[in-house]
Amino acid sequence: MATMKPGSKAEIFQLEGQTWKCTAELASDVVIEVGEMSFHLHKFPLLNRSGLLQQMISEFHGEDGKACVFQLHDIPGGAKAFELVAKFCYDVKIELNALNVVCLRCAAEYLLMTEDYVGGNLILQTEHFLNEVYNSWKDTIKALQSCESVLSHAEVLHIVSVCIGSLASKACADPNLFGWSVVGRTSMKSPGSSLWNGIVAEEMPRSTGADWWYEDASFLSLPLFKRLIFAVEAEGMKPDNVAGALMFYARKFLPCLSRNSSFRDGTTRTTPGASVSAPSGSNQRVFLEEIIGLLPTKKGVTSTKFLLSMLHTAMILHASPLCRENLEKRIGAQLDDAALEDLLIPNVGYSVETLYDIDCVQRILDHFMLTDQSMLANSPSTLNEGQVMAPSPSLTPMTMVAKLVDGYLAEVAPDVNLKLPKFQSLAAVIPDYARPLDDGIYRAIDTYLKSHPWLTESEREQLCRLMNCQKLSLEACTHAAQNERLPLRVVVQVVFFEQLRLRTSVAGWFFVSDSMENSQAPHGNTMLPRTNEGTIQTEIMQAQKEDDHRVGVEDMRLRVSELEKECLGMKQEIEKLGKPKSGWNIFPKKFGFGLKSQPTLHAK
């Protein structure tokens, strides 16, 4: 291309309203209409560069003295692209960058601006520039975005596939090990400078992690982003990194989801020249279903918090039942990783009964139980003689889920519209072995009884069968023994098991005390010389421990005595209420309620 002084030919193009005019010495003899814009140009510069325009001009038969008029409404890139093409034909220096090179390359192909007409034509020049763009992450992102407006043409020229391949290889590589920059080559010199000024020297790469490419990729439209995800998976990217990119992308374009959770500080920076609008209306539902279909199936790579947020959003957007079922199964497989606050999914719709979606949590819990049972079935169950059985790998997840469900029941229990069968059904899914202590389910039951005072005695007893009184802590037993909301029978059981536990503890104390006295008796009868001060301090400390031991035993004796008095009082109350049922007549006789304390318990 011939070199000219800056501005010498740039000023010959002037825009007047919707018309571009070339103010040369010769009058314009050809008019090109592109959309609403008109370009008044000259034949020779155009036919010298473009095979299409050369053919159109040669085939034009009009009146002598009148300018040729052609319409190029289908040219890729529209009027903006043809403006650059026209300036190129007139040897006016133009500015190429990553945002306009794709449209210009497609326009050059459309106009047949090949090397057959002149050396260094526009197709060759734009191809060379694109090869430089592919070396930069940022510029490749911008070029791929610009393909949206000329997608069919860019696909034919393989620009889209090359951009995606370049991005995928860079996303899967460690940017700190290579020379290309993650920051990119976004600096542009002022218009009117040299033709190929779009790419400048590299900036120093920033400190990066595995998620460095998430934000830049999020500026792509969903179809292009999907193709990028498929490409990075084909390149061997880890599923957790793929899931991270999808979570970032979903949080950016789903307003409902961003209100439920956030990624980092919940903000995204903008890239110059990049803008992708969030889907609206029914498009959000399609968007959500597409993202769910792209999520890796491997357990644990997608956070349970995100999946629960997606499920809530799916309910709001009325996603397909298959989509919701897919999410519920994924959540159920890793329910032990969930947080209580995320499990509290509000009911949506107008015909709902309860505040929270209990049925959804029930289905999720059922999926977890099926997963847990399959894990137990696949684990080895036979042991050689002499081997000790190791703890089940599913015991810890089951225990965590049991704690989660107990907390969930306590949160939903105040809902007066929550029916007893639904409460029981959810609580009964958890097996007894999964709860080391039943304090959590006791708290949920007590909350439910407090919010549903109209329950009958039979219903209250039925509800209390969900907990095991023997697995209540001392604090919970003390609370339950004075809880007027519990059925009397349950209170009697609680007090009995507390008394039984304390008696067992006292017996253990006596056994330890007797063993200590027997072991110290020979030393007490033998007079040994005290050779040093350390021996005296040891004996003093031993005496203090014995005093503390006696005080602890006395406290337990007093507590057992108080419990016996409470049991006697409750027995009298039961007798006042009427003749007890036969099944309950056996209970105090069998376990010795109301019996006097053993004399040895009160011996000093």
Side-chain angles (χ1 to χ4, degrees), residues 512-527:
V512 174
S513 179
D514 292 342
S515 300
M516 291 176 62
E517 290 176 0
N518 293 335
S519 62
Q520 293 173 1
H523 298 285
N525 296 333
T526 307
M527 299 297 294

Side-chain angles (χ1 to χ4, degrees), residues 142-173:
K142 292 178 181 180
L144 185 56
Q145 283 181 283
S146 67
C147 289
E148 290 281 356
S149 60
V150 290
L151 191 57
S152 60
H153 299 277
E155 290 282 12
V156 172
L157 297 174
H158 305 291
I159 298 175
V160 177
S161 58
V162 174
C163 284
I164 289 175
S166 174
L167 292 174
S169 62
K170 290 177 173 63
C172 293

Side-chain angles (χ1 to χ4, degrees), residues 513-576:
S513 179
D514 292 342
S515 300
M516 291 176 62
E517 290 176 0
N518 293 335
S519 62
Q520 293 173 1
H523 298 285
N525 296 333
T526 307
M527 299 297 294
L528 296 176
R530 299 175 180 175
T531 56
N532 53 54
E533 188 177 347
T535 304
I536 299 174
Q537 292 178 351
T538 303
E539 292 181 358
I540 292 173
M541 293 175 63
Q542 185 65 34
Q544 289 176 348
K545 290 181 180 179
E546 292 177 4
D547 291 341
D548 294 340
H549 173 71
R550 293 191 188 97
V551 172
V553 173
E554 291 299 327
D555 291 341
M556 283 202 173
R557 286 171 177 166
L558 291 174
R559 179 58 181 155
V560 170
S561 178
E562 291 174 0
L563 287 172
E564 289 176 348
K565 290 178 182 179
E566 291 179 8
C567 288
L568 181 59
M570 281 187 288
K571 182 180 178 183
Q572 293 173 353
E573 290 292 334
I574 294 173
E575 291 174 352
K576 289 179 182 180

Side-chain angles (χ1 to χ4, degrees), residues 95-97 139 142 183-190 197-201 203:
E95 179 185 6
L96 278 183
N97 55 54
D139 286 339
K142 292 178 181 180
V183 176
R185 311 167 186 180
T186 56
S187 298
M188 300 291 175
K189 294 182 181 179
S190 58
N197 66 339
I199 296 180
V200 295
E203 297 178 26

